[in-house]
Coordinates of all heavy atoms in Angstrom, one line a residue:
T158 N -9.6 4.0 -5.5 CA -8.4 4.7 -5.5 C -8.5 6.1 -5.0 O -7.6 6.6 -4.3 CB -7.7 4.7 -6.9 OG1 -8.5 5.4 -7.8 CG2 -7.5 3.2 -7.4
Y159 N -9.6 6.7 -5.2 CA -9.8 8.1 -4.7 C -9.9 8.0 -3.2 O -9.3 8.9 -2.5 CB -11.1 8.7 -5.3 CG -11.5 10.0 -4.7 CD1 -10.7 11.1 -4.8 CD2 -12.7 10.1 -4.0 CE1 -11.0 12.3 -4.1 CE2 -13.1 11.3 -3.4 CZ -12.2 12.4 -3.5 OH -12.6 13.6 -2.9
L160 N -10.6 7.0 -2.6 CA -10.6 6.8 -1.2 C -9.2 6.6 -0.6 O -8.9 7.1 0.5 CB -11.6 5.7 -0.8 CG -13.0 5.8 -1.2 CD1 -13.8 4.6 -0.8 CD2 -13.6 7.1 -0.7
L161 N -8.4 5.9 -1.3 CA -7.0 5.6 -0.9 C -6.3 7.0 -0.8 O -5.6 7.3 0.1 CB -6.4 4.6 -1.7 CG -6.9 3.2 -1.7 CD1 -6.1 2.3 -2.7 CD2 -7.0 2.6 -0.3
K162 N -6.4 7.7 -1.9 CA -5.7 9.0 -2.0 C -6.2 9.9 -0.8 O -5.3 10.6 -0.2 CB -6.0 9.7 -3.3 CG -5.4 11.1 -3.5 CD -5.7 11.7 -4.8 CE -5.2 13.1 -4.9 NZ -3.7 13.2 -4.9
E163 N -7.5 10.0 -0.6 CA -8.0 10.9 0.5 C -7.6 10.4 1.9 O -7.7 11.1 2.9 CB -9.5 11.0 0.4 CG -10.0 11.8 -0.8 CD -9.4 13.2 -0.8 OE1 -9.9 14.0 0.2 OE2 -8.6 13.6 -1.6
N164 N -7.2 9.1 2.0 CA -6.7 8.6 3.3 C -5.1 8.5 3.3 O -4.6 7.8 4.1 CB -7.3 7.3 3.6 CG -8.7 7.4 4.1 OD1 -8.9 7.6 5.3 ND2 -9.7 7.2 3.2
D165 N -4.5 9.3 2.4 CA -3.1 9.6 2.4 C -2.2 8.4 2.0 O -1.0 8.4 2.3 CB -2.6 10.0 3.8 CG -3.3 11.4 4.3 OD1 -3.5 12.2 3.4 OD2 -3.6 11.6 5.5
F166 N -2.8 7.5 1.3 CA -2.0 6.4 0.7 C -1.4 7.0 -0.6 O -2.1 7.6 -1.4 CB -2.8 5.2 0.4 CG -3.2 4.4 1.6 CD1 -4.5 4.6 2.2 CD2 -2.3 3.6 2.3 CE1 -4.8 3.9 3.3 CE2 -2.7 2.9 3.4 CZ -4.0 3.1 4.0
P167 N -0.1 6.8 -0.8 CA 0.5 7.5 -2.0 C 0.2 6.8 -3.3 O -0.2 5.6 -3.4 CB 2.0 7.3 -1.7 CG 2.1 6.0 -0.9 CD 0.8 6.0 0.0
S168 N 0.3 7.6 -4.4 CA 0.1 7.1 -5.7 C 1.4 6.5 -6.2 O 2.5 6.6 -5.6 CB -0.4 8.2 -6.6 OG 0.7 9.2 -6.7
G169 N 1.2 5.7 -7.3 CA 2.4 5.1 -7.9 C 2.4 5.3 -9.4 O 1.7 6.1 -10.0
A170 N 3.2 4.3 -10.0 CA 3.3 4.4 -11.5 C 2.3 3.6 -12.3 O 2.1 3.7 -13.5 CB 4.7 4.0 -11.9
Q171 N 1.7 2.6 -11.6 CA 0.7 1.7 -12.2 C -0.7 1.8 -11.7 O -0.8 2.0 -10.5 CB 1.2 0.2 -12.0 CG 2.6 -0.1 -12.6 CD 2.7 0.0 -14.1 OE1 1.7 -0.3 -14.8 NE2 3.8 0.5 -14.6
E172 N -1.7 1.7 -12.6 CA -3.0 1.7 -12.1 C -3.4 0.5 -11.3 O -2.9 -0.6 -11.6 CB -4.0 1.9 -13.3 CG -4.0 3.2 -14.0 CD -5.2 3.6 -14.8 OE1 -6.1 2.7 -14.9 OE2 -5.3 4.7 -15.2
L173 N -4.3 0.6 -10.4 CA -4.8 -0.5 -9.6 C -5.7 -1.3 -10.5 O -6.6 -0.8 -11.2 CB -5.5 0.0 -8.4 CG -6.1 -1.1 -7.4 CD1 -4.9 -1.9 -6.8 CD2 -7.0 -0.5 -6.4
R174 N -5.6 -2.7 -10.6 CA -6.3 -3.5 -11.4 C -7.2 -4.4 -10.5 O -6.8 -4.7 -9.3 CB -5.5 -4.4 -12.3 CG -4.5 -3.6 -13.2 CD -3.5 -4.5 -13.9 NE -2.7 -5.1 -12.8 CZ -1.8 -6.1 -13.1 NH1 -1.6 -6.5 -14.3 NH2 -1.1 -6.6 -12.1
L175 N -8.2 -5.0 -11.1 CA -9.1 -5.9 -10.2 C -8.3 -7.1 -9.7 O -8.5 -7.5 -8.6 CB -10.2 -6.5 -11.1 CG -11.4 -5.5 -11.4 CD1 -12.3 -6.1 -12.5 CD2 -12.1 -5.1 -10.2
E176 N -7.4 -7.6 -10.5 CA -6.6 -8.8 -10.1 C -5.6 -8.4 -9.0 O -5.1 -9.3 -8.3 CB -5.8 -9.4 -11.3 CG -4.9 -8.5 -12.0 CD -5.6 -7.9 -13.3 OE1 -6.8 -7.6 -13.2 OE2 -4.9 -7.7 -14.3
D177 N -5.3 -7.1 -8.7 CA -4.4 -6.7 -7.6 C -5.1 -6.7 -6.3 O -4.5 -6.7 -5.2 CB -3.9 -5.3 -7.9 CG -3.1 -5.2 -9.2 OD1 -2.4 -6.2 -9.5 OD2 -3.1 -4.2 -9.8
L178 N -6.5 -6.6 -6.3 CA -7.2 -6.4 -5.1 C -6.9 -7.4 -4.0 O -6.6 -7.1 -2.8 CB -8.7 -6.3 -5.3 CG -9.1 -5.1 -6.2 CD1 -10.6 -5.2 -6.5 CD2 -8.9 -3.8 -5.5
P179 N -7.1 -8.8 -4.3 CA -6.9 -9.8 -3.2 C -5.5 -9.9 -2.7 O -5.3 -10.4 -1.6 CB -7.4 -11.1 -3.9 CG -7.2 -10.8 -5.3 CD -7.5 -9.4 -5.6
R180 N -4.5 -9.4 -3.4 CA -3.1 -9.5 -2.9 C -2.5 -8.2 -2.4 O -1.3 -8.1 -2.2 CB -2.2 -10.1 -4.0 CG -2.2 -9.3 -5.3 CD -1.2 -10.0 -6.3 NE -1.1 -9.3 -7.6 CZ -1.7 -9.7 -8.7 NH1 -2.3 -10.9 -8.7 NH2 -1.5 -9.0 -9.8
T181 N -3.4 -7.2 -2.3 CA -2.9 -5.9 -1.8 C -3.6 -5.7 -0.4 O -4.8 -5.6 -0.3 CB -3.3 -4.8 -2.7 OG1 -2.8 -5.1 -4.0 CG2 -2.7 -3.5 -2.2
Q182 N -2.7 -5.6 0.6 CA -3.2 -5.5 2.0 C -3.3 -4.1 2.4 O -2.3 -3.3 2.2 CB -2.3 -6.3 2.9 CG -2.9 -6.7 4.3 CD -3.8 -7.9 4.2 OE1 -4.0 -8.5 3.1 NE2 -4.3 -8.3 5.3
L183 N -4.4 -3.7 3.0 CA -4.5 -2.3 3.6 C -4.1 -2.3 5.0 O -4.7 -2.8 5.9 CB -6.0 -1.9 3.5 CG -6.3 -0.4 3.5 CD1 -7.6 0.0 2.9 CD2 -6.2 0.2 4.9
V184 N -2.9 -1.7 5.2 CA -2.3 -1.6 6.5 C -1.9 -0.1 6.8 O -1.8 0.7 5.9 CB -1.1 -2.5 6.7 CG1 -1.5 -4.0 6.5 CG2 0.0 -2.1 5.8
G185 N -1.8 0.2 8.1 CA -1.4 1.5 8.5 C 0.1 1.8 8.2 O 0.9 0.9 7.8
K186 N 0.5 3.0 8.3 CA 1.9 3.4 7.9 C 2.9 2.7 8.8 O 4.0 2.5 8.4 CB 2.0 4.9 8.0 CG 3.2 5.5 7.3 CD 3.1 7.0 7.1 CE 4.2 7.5 6.2 NZ 4.1 9.0 5.9
E187 N 2.5 2.4 10.0 CA 3.4 1.7 11.0 C 3.5 0.2 10.7 O 4.3 -0.5 11.4 CB 3.0 1.9 12.4 CG 3.0 3.4 12.9 CD 1.9 4.2 12.3 OE1 0.8 3.6 11.9 OE2 2.0 5.4 12.2
G188 N 2.8 -0.3 9.7 CA 2.8 -1.7 9.4 C 1.6 -2.5 9.9 O 0.7 -2.0 10.6
P189 N 1.6 -3.8 9.7 CA 0.5 -4.7 10.1 C 0.2 -4.6 11.6 O 1.2 -4.5 12.4 CB 0.9 -6.1 9.7 CG 1.9 -5.8 8.6 CD 2.6 -4.6 9.0
E190 N -1.0 -4.7 12.0 CA -1.5 -4.8 13.4 C -2.4 -5.9 13.6 O -2.9 -6.5 12.6 CB -2.1 -3.4 13.9 CG -1.2 -2.2 13.8 CD -2.0 -0.9 14.2 OE1 -2.7 -1.0 15.2 OE2 -1.8 0.0 13.5
P191 N -2.8 -6.3 14.9 CA -3.8 -7.3 15.0 C -5.1 -6.9 14.4 O -5.5 -5.7 14.4 CB -3.9 -7.5 16.6 CG -2.5 -7.0 17.0 CD -2.1 -5.9 16.1
V192 N -5.9 -7.9 14.0 CA -7.2 -7.6 13.5 C -8.1 -7.0 14.6 O -8.1 -7.5 15.7 CB -7.9 -8.9 12.9 CG1 -9.3 -8.6 12.6 CG2 -7.1 -9.4 11.7
P193 N -8.8 -5.9 14.3 CA -9.6 -5.2 15.4 C -10.7 -6.2 16.0 O -11.2 -7.0 15.3 CB -10.2 -4.0 14.6 CG -9.4 -3.8 13.4 CD -8.9 -5.1 13.0
D194 N -11.0 -5.9 17.2 CA -12.1 -6.6 17.9 C -13.4 -6.4 17.2 O -13.7 -5.3 16.6 CB -12.2 -6.0 19.4 CG -13.0 -6.9 20.2 OD1 -13.2 -8.1 20.0 OD2 -13.5 -6.3 21.3
V195 N -14.2 -7.4 17.2 CA -15.6 -7.5 16.6 C -15.5 -7.4 15.1 O -16.5 -7.0 14.4 CB -16.5 -6.4 17.2 CG1 -18.0 -6.7 17.0 CG2 -16.3 -6.2 18.7
S196 N -14.3 -7.7 14.5 CA -14.3 -7.8 13.1 C -14.9 -9.1 12.5 O -14.8 -10.1 13.3 CB -12.8 -7.7 12.6 OG -12.3 -6.5 12.9
L197 N -15.5 -9.1 11.4 CA -15.9 -10.4 10.7 C -14.7 -11.0 10.1 O -14.0 -10.4 9.3 CB -17.0 -10.1 9.7 CG -17.5 -11.3 8.9 CD1 -18.2 -12.2 9.9 CD2 -18.5 -10.8 7.8
V198 N -14.4 -12.3 10.5 CA -13.2 -12.9 10.1 C -13.5 -14.4 9.7 O -14.5 -14.9 9.9 CB -12.2 -12.9 11.3 CG1 -11.8 -11.5 11.8 CG2 -12.6 -13.8 12.5
R199 N -12.4 -14.9 9.1 CA -12.4 -16.4 8.8 C -11.2 -17.0 9.3 O -10.1 -16.4 9.3 CB -12.6 -16.7 7.3 CG -11.6 -16.0 6.4 CD -11.9 -16.2 4.9 NE -11.0 -15.4 4.1 CZ -9.8 -15.8 3.7 NH1 -9.4 -17.0 4.1 NH2 -9.1 -15.1 2.9
V200 N -11.3 -18.2 9.8 CA -10.2 -19.0 10.4 C -10.3 -20.4 9.9 O -11.4 -20.9 9.8 CB -10.0 -18.8 11.9 CG1 -9.8 -17.4 12.3 CG2 -11.2 -19.5 12.6
V201 N -9.2 -21.1 9.9 CA -9.1 -22.5 9.5 C -8.5 -23.3 10.7 O -7.4 -22.8 11.1 CB -8.4 -22.8 8.2 CG1 -8.2 -24.3 8.0 CG2 -9.2 -22.3 7.0
G202 N -9.0 -24.4 11.2 CA -8.4 -25.1 12.2 C -9.1 -26.4 12.5 O -9.9 -26.9 11.7
C203 N -8.8 -27.0 13.6 CA -9.4 -28.3 14.0 C -10.5 -28.1 15.0 O -10.4 -27.4 16.1 CB -8.3 -29.2 14.7 SG -6.9 -29.5 13.6
L204 N -11.6 -28.7 14.8 CA -12.8 -28.6 15.6 C -12.8 -29.6 16.7 O -12.7 -30.8 16.4 CB -14.1 -28.7 14.8 CG -15.4 -28.5 15.6 CD1 -15.5 -27.0 16.1 CD2 -16.6 -28.8 14.6
T205 N -12.9 -29.2 18.0 CA -12.8 -30.1 19.1 C -13.6 -29.5 20.3 O -14.3 -28.5 20.1 CB -11.3 -30.3 19.5 OG1 -11.3 -31.4 20.5 CG2 -10.7 -29.1 20.0
T206 N -13.6 -30.2 21.4 CA -14.3 -29.7 22.6 C -13.2 -29.4 23.7 O -12.2 -30.1 23.7 CB -15.3 -30.7 23.1 OG1 -14.8 -31.9 23.3 CG2 -16.5 -30.8 22.1
S207 N -13.6 -28.5 24.5 CA -12.7 -28.2 25.7 C -12.8 -29.3 26.7 O -13.9 -29.8 27.1 CB -13.2 -26.9 26.3 OG -12.5 -26.7 27.6
P208 N -11.7 -29.8 27.2 CA -11.7 -30.9 28.2 C -12.3 -30.4 29.6 O -12.7 -31.2 30.4 CB -10.2 -31.3 28.4 CG -9.4 -30.1 27.9 CD -10.3 -29.5 26.9
S209 N -12.3 -29.1 29.8 CA -12.7 -28.6 31.1 C -14.3 -28.4 31.2 O -14.9 -28.7 32.2 CB -12.1 -27.3 31.4 OG -12.3 -26.3 30.5
D210 N -14.9 -28.0 30.0 CA -16.3 -27.7 30.1 C -17.1 -28.1 28.9 O -18.3 -27.7 28.7 CB -16.6 -26.1 30.3 CG -15.9 -25.3 29.3 OD1 -15.5 -25.9 28.2 OD2 -15.9 -24.0 29.5
S211 N -16.4 -28.9 28.0 CA -17.1 -29.4 26.8 C -17.5 -28.3 25.8 O -18.3 -28.7 24.9 CB -18.3 -30.3 27.1 OG -17.9 -31.4 27.9
A212 N -17.1 -27.1 25.9 CA -17.4 -26.1 25.0 C -16.7 -26.4 23.6 O -15.6 -27.0 23.6 CB -16.9 -24.7 25.5
W213 N -17.3 -25.9 22.6 CA -16.7 -26.1 21.3 C -15.6 -25.2 21.0 O -15.6 -24.0 21.3 CB -17.7 -26.0 20.1 CG -18.7 -27.1 20.1 CD1 -20.0 -27.1 20.6 CD2 -18.4 -28.4 19.6 NE1 -20.6 -28.3 20.4 CE2 -19.6 -29.2 19.8 CE3 -17.3 -29.0 19.1 CZ2 -19.8 -30.6 19.5 CZ3 -17.5 -30.4 18.7 CH2 -18.6 -31.1 18.9
M214 N -14.4 -25.7 20.6 CA -13.2 -25.0 20.4 C -12.6 -25.2 19.0 O -12.9 -26.3 18.4 CB -12.1 -25.4 21.4 CG -12.6 -25.4 22.9 SD -12.8 -23.8 23.5 CE -11.0 -23.2 23.6
M215 N -11.8 -24.3 18.6 CA -10.9 -24.6 17.4 C -9.5 -24.5 17.9 O -9.1 -23.5 18.5 CB -11.2 -23.5 16.3 CG -12.4 -23.8 15.5 SD -12.6 -22.6 14.1 CE -11.3 -23.2 13.1
T216 N -8.7 -25.5 17.6 CA -7.3 -25.6 17.9 C -6.5 -25.7 16.7 O -7.0 -25.9 15.6 CB -7.0 -26.8 18.8 OG1 -7.3 -28.0 18.1 CG2 -7.8 -26.7 20.1
H217 N -5.2 -25.4 16.8 CA -4.3 -25.5 15.6 C -4.8 -24.6 14.5 O -4.7 -25.0 13.3 CB -4.1 -26.9 15.2 CG -3.5 -27.8 16.2 ND1 -2.2 -27.9 16.6 CD2 -4.2 -28.7 17.1 CE1 -2.1 -28.7 17.6 NE2 -3.2 -29.2 17.9
S218 N -5.3 -23.4 14.9 CA -6.0 -22.5 13.9 C -5.1 -21.5 13.4 O -4.1 -21.1 14.0 CB -7.2 -21.9 14.6 OG -8.1 -22.9 15.1
T219 N -5.5 -20.9 12.3 CA -4.8 -19.8 11.7 C -5.1 -18.5 12.4 O -6.1 -18.4 13.2 CB -5.2 -19.7 10.2 OG1 -6.7 -19.5 10.1 CG2 -4.9 -20.9 9.4
D220 N -4.3 -17.5 12.1 CA -4.6 -16.1 12.5 C -5.9 -15.7 11.8 O -6.2 -16.1 10.7 CB -3.5 -15.2 12.2 CG -2.3 -15.4 13.0 OD1 -2.3 -15.9 14.2 OD2 -1.1 -15.1 12.5
P221 N -6.7 -14.8 12.5 CA -8.0 -14.4 11.9 C -7.6 -13.5 10.7 O -6.8 -12.6 10.7 CB -8.6 -13.6 13.0 CG -7.5 -13.1 13.9 CD -6.5 -14.2 13.8
V222 N -8.4 -13.7 9.6 CA -8.3 -12.9 8.3 C -9.7 -12.2 8.2 O -10.7 -12.9 8.2 CB -8.0 -13.8 7.1 CG1 -8.0 -13.0 5.9 CG2 -6.7 -14.5 7.3
R223 N -9.6 -10.9 8.0 CA -10.9 -10.2 7.8 C -11.5 -10.6 6.5 O -10.9 -10.9 5.4 CB -10.6 -8.7 7.7 CG -10.2 -8.1 9.0 CD -10.2 -6.6 9.0 NE -11.5 -6.1 9.5 CZ -11.7 -4.9 9.9 NH1 -10.7 -4.0 10.0 NH2 -12.9 -4.4 10.2
T224 N -12.9 -10.6 6.5 CA -13.7 -11.0 5.3 C -14.9 -10.1 5.3 O -15.4 -9.6 6.4 CB -14.1 -12.5 5.3 OG1 -14.9 -12.7 4.2 CG2 -14.8 -12.8 6.6
G225 N -15.5 -9.9 4.2 CA -16.7 -9.2 4.1 C -18.0 -10.1 4.0 O -19.1 -9.6 3.9
N226 N -17.7 -11.4 3.9 CA -18.8 -12.4 3.7 C -19.0 -13.3 4.9 O -18.1 -14.1 5.2 CB -18.5 -13.2 2.5 CG -18.3 -12.4 1.2 OD1 -19.1 -11.5 0.9 ND2 -17.2 -12.6 0.5
P227 N -20.2 -13.2 5.5 CA -20.4 -14.2 6.6 C -20.5 -15.6 6.3 O -20.3 -16.5 7.1 CB -21.7 -13.6 7.3 CG -22.4 -12.9 6.1 CD -21.3 -12.3 5.3
Q228 N -20.8 -15.8 5.0 CA -20.9 -17.2 4.4 C -19.9 -17.3 3.3 O -19.7 -16.4 2.6 CB -22.3 -17.5 3.9 CG -23.4 -17.3 4.9 CD -23.4 -18.4 6.0 OE1 -23.0 -19.5 5.7 NE2 -23.8 -18.1 7.1
P229 N -19.2 -18.5 3.1 CA -18.3 -18.6 2.0 C -19.0 -18.5 0.6 O -20.1 -19.1 0.5 CB -17.6 -20.0 2.3 CG -18.6 -20.7 3.2 CD -19.3 -19.7 4.0
A230 N -18.3 -17.9 -0.3 CA -18.9 -17.9 -1.6 C -18.5 -19.1 -2.4 O -17.6 -19.9 -2.0 CB -18.3 -16.6 -2.4
P231 N -19.2 -19.4 -3.5 CA -18.8 -20.6 -4.3 C -17.4 -20.5 -4.8 O -16.9 -19.5 -5.2 CB -19.8 -20.5 -5.5 CG -20.9 -19.7 -5.0 CD -20.4 -18.8 -4.0
G232 N -16.7 -21.7 -4.6 CA -15.3 -21.7 -5.0 C -14.3 -21.4 -3.9 O -13.1 -21.7 -4.0
E233 N -14.7 -20.9 -2.8 CA -13.8 -20.5 -1.8 C -13.4 -21.7 -0.9 O -12.4 -21.7 -0.2 CB -14.4 -19.4 -0.8 CG -14.5 -18.1 -1.5 CD -14.9 -17.0 -0.5 OE1 -15.8 -17.2 0.3 OE2 -14.3 -15.8 -0.6
K234 N -14.2 -22.7 -0.9 CA -13.9 -23.9 -0.1 C -12.6 -24.6 -0.6 O -11.8 -25.0 0.3 CB -15.0 -25.0 -0.1 CG -14.8 -26.2 0.7 CD -15.9 -27.1 0.7 CE -15.7 -28.4 1.5 NZ -16.8 -29.3 1.5

Side-chain angles (χ1 to χ4, degrees):
T158 66
Y159 173 60
L160 298 179
L161 297 179
K162 178 180 173 66
E163 289 299 295
N164 282 281
D165 299 325
F166 290 98
S168 60
Q171 301 293 327
E172 290 202 351
L173 184 67
R174 304 167 301 172
L175 287 173
E176 55 265 37
D177 298 327
L178 297 174
R180 58 175 179 255
T181 306
Q182 199 80 359
L183 199 158
V184 299
K186 200 165 189 177
E187 295 75 22
E190 299 180 44
V192 171
D194 193 22
V195 201
S196 297
L197 181 61
V198 301
R199 55 185 173 86
V200 299
V201 171
C203 300
L204 184 63
T205 186
T206 55
S207 168
S209 61
D210 58 9
S211 298
W213 289 103
M214 308 287 292
M215 282 184 72
T216 59
H217 304 279
S218 301
T219 58
D220 290 333
V222 175
R223 294 191 87 161
T224 178
N226 301 314
Q228 304 289 328
E233 289 188 318
K234 181 177 180 179

